[in-house]
Amino acid sequence: MEKIQTQGIHHITLVGADRQTSIDFWEGVLGMPFVFEQPNLDDANQSHLYFDPGDGRLITIFTNEDRKPDPEPAPQTIGCVHHLALDVSQATFRQVAERLEERGIEHSGPKDRGFMDSIYFRDPLGFLIELASYRFVPPAGVLIGEVMLEAHRIRVARGDYNIQEIHLADAIEKLTRETRRSLSDDREPKNPYKR
């Protein structure tokens, strides 16, 4: 028996309320261009809106003009989606709280996750959204997941509770050494100032 090997997220589809609420939130708050719309091909009573979150994938929303926004928190029980995390730059992350507050949107305030920064708030339908920003850039040709895997190994070997920036820095150094060639035989750390 063989695995069904995935290669990334194709798209995420959420059940929305009316069309304009979806456009106002996904494009008007989060800046995702509204790129495509057609009927929901499985339910003619719904429209299917497509938004570009910025990574080449899509987030789609099923809308119906008879559904109105309900800000009550969406269920977070077994089998439900807990939250959707969207990537933002550090420059944008530093502006998120202020920009949410300008709209009167309640939020968690910035959260220190060690390897990233997060802030949480709910969309107009009560769905939990996280805006997350990594504190590192992987070396050229190395994926974020590979840095996280190596940082995890370093953290566990050191007996530390959670991944911190030191683990990321050491993981990036190790991965760079493994993926980038050098003429030097000895690539260990040096101190050229001490003679």
Side-chain angles (χ1 to χ4, degrees):
M1 181 181 323
E2 300 296 326
K3 296 177 186 175
I4 300 171
Q5 185 61 56
T6 65
Q7 294 181 269
I9 292 175
H10 187 279
H11 71 276
I12 294 169
T13 300
L14 302 171
V15 176
D18 60 286
R19 179 180 186 274
Q20 196 60 51
T21 297
S22 295
I23 295 169
D24 289 349
F25 179 73
W26 295 98
E27 184 171 49
V29 174
L30 296 178
M32 294 182 191
F34 175 33
V35 296
F36 178 50
E37 178 178 15
Q38 68 179 19
N40 176 347
L41 300 180
D42 296 318
D43 182 349
N45 295 317
Q46 296 187 102
S47 189
H48 199 172
L49 282 57
Y50 292 70
F51 296 89
D52 176 0
D55 65 355
R57 308 287 194 271
L58 295 169
I59 290 179
T60 75
I61 313 295
F62 288 147
T63 64
N64 180 306
E65 294 310 300
D66 294 332
R67 295 194 295 246
K68 298 300 171 210
D70 180 358
E72 285 298 310
Q76 293 181 334
T77 58
I78 295 171
C80 294
V81 175
H82 186 274
H83 69 277
L84 175 65
L86 301 168
D87 188 27
V88 296
S89 71
Q90 279 286 307
T92 297
F93 186 82
R94 290 184 184 101
Q95 306 303 311
V96 168
E98 178 182 341
R99 292 179 185 194
L100 290 172
E101 289 162 7
E102 287 173 353
R103 292 173 170 84
I105 299 172
E106 292 183 21
H107 58 83
S108 65
K111 302 286 185 183
D112 177 348
R113 302 298 188 208
F115 63 96
M116 69 180 195
D117 296 300
S118 296
I119 193 165
Y120 298 86
F121 64 100
R122 294 194 181 275
D123 79 354
L125 310 182
F127 186 64
L128 189 60
I129 302 288
E130 174 187 13
L131 298 180
S133 182
Y134 287 113
R135 293 180 177 174
F136 67 96
V137 175
V142 175
L143 300 175
I144 289 171
E146 294 175 77
V147 175
M148 296 301 296
L149 175 65
E150 193 57 45
H152 168 80
R153 288 179 174 156
I154 291 168
R155 174 191 69 83
V156 169
R158 294 176 184 170
D160 295 333
Y161 181 70
N162 67 306
I163 292 176
Q164 294 294 321
E165 291 176 346
I166 185 70
H167 306 118
L168 295 169
D170 293 349
I172 289 168
E173 178 186 348
K174 182 176 186 294
L175 290 165
T176 299
R177 190 171 43 243
E178 292 173 356
T179 61
R180 304 287 304 272
R181 299 182 308 162
S182 173
L183 291 174
S184 298
D185 293 329
D186 179 3
R187 295 179 71 182
E188 293 305 309
K190 307 284 187 291
N191 184 354
Y193 297 96
K194 188 176 180 182
R195 297 280 176 198

